[in-house]
Amino acid sequence: MATQKQKKTQKPKRTWQKRLIAVIACLLAILMLLPVFTMVFQSAFAATKDELQEQINSGKQQAADLSSKIKKLQSNIDAIAGDKSKALEQKRLLDEKVAAKEEEIANTKTVIANYDALISQKEQERQKAVAREEEEFELFCKRVRSMEEAGTVSYWSILFNAADFSDLLDRVSFVGEVMEYDNAVMDQLAETRRQIEDLKANLESARADQQAQKDQLVAQKNELDDDLNAAIKLVEEYESKQSEYQAAQDELKAEEEEIQSQILKKQKELQKKIASGQISFDTGTGWQWPLPGIYRITCRYGNRIHPITGLPQFHTGNDIGAPRNTPIHAARGGVITKSTYGNSYGNYVVVDHGDGYITLYAHMNSRAVSEGQVVTQGQVIGYVGTTGSSTGNHLHFEVRYNGKTVDGLKFYPSLAGQFVFS
Ligand SMILES: [Zn+2]
């Protein structure tokens, strides 16, 4: 009877105990390793994610600074609006506002791109957590199945099947271990679920933040268009009603003369430096067209009837119509003797080629060089815009020889067939 009883209880004991111990050992090993893997993955991403978040935060700070700068410029514009004697100052402030607005737009685009990177990392992290949850759940199911196979579905049945008191004690201690393990598995599953929920909420908020930035970008672009239109309208206004804007006309004329004398003065200084060997540079070969591939001449050098005033006027350069921010290349190598903003030329750059020739590039949206800098032929010196007394995006390309303007197109005989005059 006793042997029979022992046989009956020992056999299942060995089976389920062996199986369970094997499964537990295996599972515990995996469970112990999982957090290590997770930590490795998280730390690998953490640096980049933190960096991205930091970049987004500093981008938002920059946006706040730009926004207050733009507001200040607008209040300065408002203060002199309608004052015809301050038309040029209004245009200068509008140009400054446009530049700040463009900086704002570039900043917003960077923030949006950083959000893209951050969102994709968060999404990867979430997918990893979901995969981990599936693995953990699979392990849990395996564990339940192995219990079922061992015929020990409930802990109570394990305990009730004890052969004697000592066996019962063994079983109690074993059940305790198993329950502890089960709890750890359940806890891990709950923790993973919580992490997934967190990541999901995190992702949703990042997406919402990014959408807000995208909406802002649309608004900023519209504001930029409004500012550009206001700037063009203002120039058309003071050009068409010259007698009403006498102050502006006088200012422009005085500025033109001042620029002319400065260019000549710097030309003499540079020629002395070249003669004494203090400076040397390579002008390159021949003349390179400043806007490669763009040959639409919207206003030629020479006498013309002003399109707005209808009055005869001398045009000191050739206007090349081109999209905003098209790169402008130096026609020849030389030294930058001027890189500044003027009411007439807007943002302009003068390259002195050292042999009596200078080239002047006007109405740039932005300048890429500074005074005193040596540039090589073809180097980008700025970008097309409509700053200063201009009513549309174009490059005013001017060539002077010993102070006198000349028609720049004559240096490009090979392009003669490509120029389109409109
Ligand atoms: Zn022009």
Side-chain angles (χ1 to χ4, degrees), residues 34-256:
L34 262 178
V36 177
F37 284 134
T38 316
M39 269 162 64
V40 169
F41 282 129
Q42 275 172 349
S43 69
F45 273 125
T48 344
K49 241 173 58 188
D50 285 352
E51 272 168 25
L52 284 168
Q53 192 57 61
E54 209 173 285
Q55 280 167 23
I56 286 169
N57 293 346
S58 84
K60 283 181 177 172
Q61 181 54 50
Q62 214 179 324
D65 294 347
L66 282 165
S67 170
S68 70
K69 182 182 173 183
I70 289 164
K71 273 194 191 119
K72 203 174 168 193
L73 284 165
Q74 187 55 54
S75 81
N76 290 344
I77 292 166
D78 292 342
I80 54 169
D83 185 343
K84 288 180 178 170
S85 71
K86 288 179 176 162
L88 295 183
E89 195 183 337
Q90 278 177 59
K91 175 63 166 91
R92 183 175 57 75
L93 289 168
L94 270 169
D95 283 350
E96 257 185 74
K97 196 185 166 205
V98 163
K101 208 83 225 167
E102 287 203 319
E103 212 181 315
E104 192 180 48
I105 286 170
N107 181 60
T108 307
K109 281 180 178 168
T110 305
V111 171
I112 289 170
N114 281 333
Y115 267 123
D116 272 337
L118 187 69
I119 285 167
S120 101
Q121 288 202 3
K122 285 185 178 195
E123 179 55 35
Q124 274 180 15
E125 214 179 306
R126 192 191 65 84
Q127 282 172 5
K128 276 204 175 99
V130 168
R132 199 167 71 230
E133 187 189 39
E134 276 168 16
E135 273 173 37
E136 283 164 3
F137 187 65
E138 185 55 34
L139 288 176
F140 180 70
C141 291
K142 267 188 194 159
R143 154 89 183 97
V144 170
R145 273 200 299 276
S146 75
M147 290 281 283
E148 279 170 352
E149 280 165 18
T152 52
V153 179
S154 87
Y155 302 130
W156 292 115
S157 67
I158 299 173
L159 296 178
F160 283 140
N161 284 332
D164 48 33
F165 187 64
S166 137
D167 187 26
L168 181 71
L169 283 183
D170 276 356
R171 286 172 181 238
V172 165
S173 125
F174 183 70
V175 164
E177 279 166 29
V178 170
M179 283 178 85
E180 213 170 281
Y181 162 71
D182 277 354
N183 283 338
V185 170
M186 290 305 287
D187 286 352
Q188 182 60 40
L189 266 169
E191 170 61 15
T192 306
R193 181 98 300 258
R194 197 190 56 74
Q195 280 175 12
I196 291 169
E197 291 304 321
D198 274 5
L199 285 165
K200 208 178 137 202
N202 224 304
L203 252 173
E204 273 162 16
S205 96
R207 285 201 176 108
D209 287 352
Q210 190 192 38
Q211 190 52 50
Q213 293 288 323
K214 284 180 177 170
D215 294 344
Q216 220 174 329
L217 181 65
V218 172
Q220 286 167 353
K221 281 180 174 169
N222 288 335
E223 285 159 16
L224 174 67
D225 284 344
D226 290 348
D227 287 339
L228 281 166
N229 288 334
I232 287 166
K233 248 192 184 157
L234 181 64
V235 175
E236 282 173 350
E237 170 83 6
Y238 71 64
E239 282 195 347
S240 65
K241 298 175 185 161
Q242 294 200 352
S243 55
E244 285 178 43
Y245 288 88
Q246 201 49 56
Q249 303 314 314
D250 294 346
E251 238 181 284
L252 289 172
K253 201 166 189 303
E255 190 187 277
E256 237 166 75

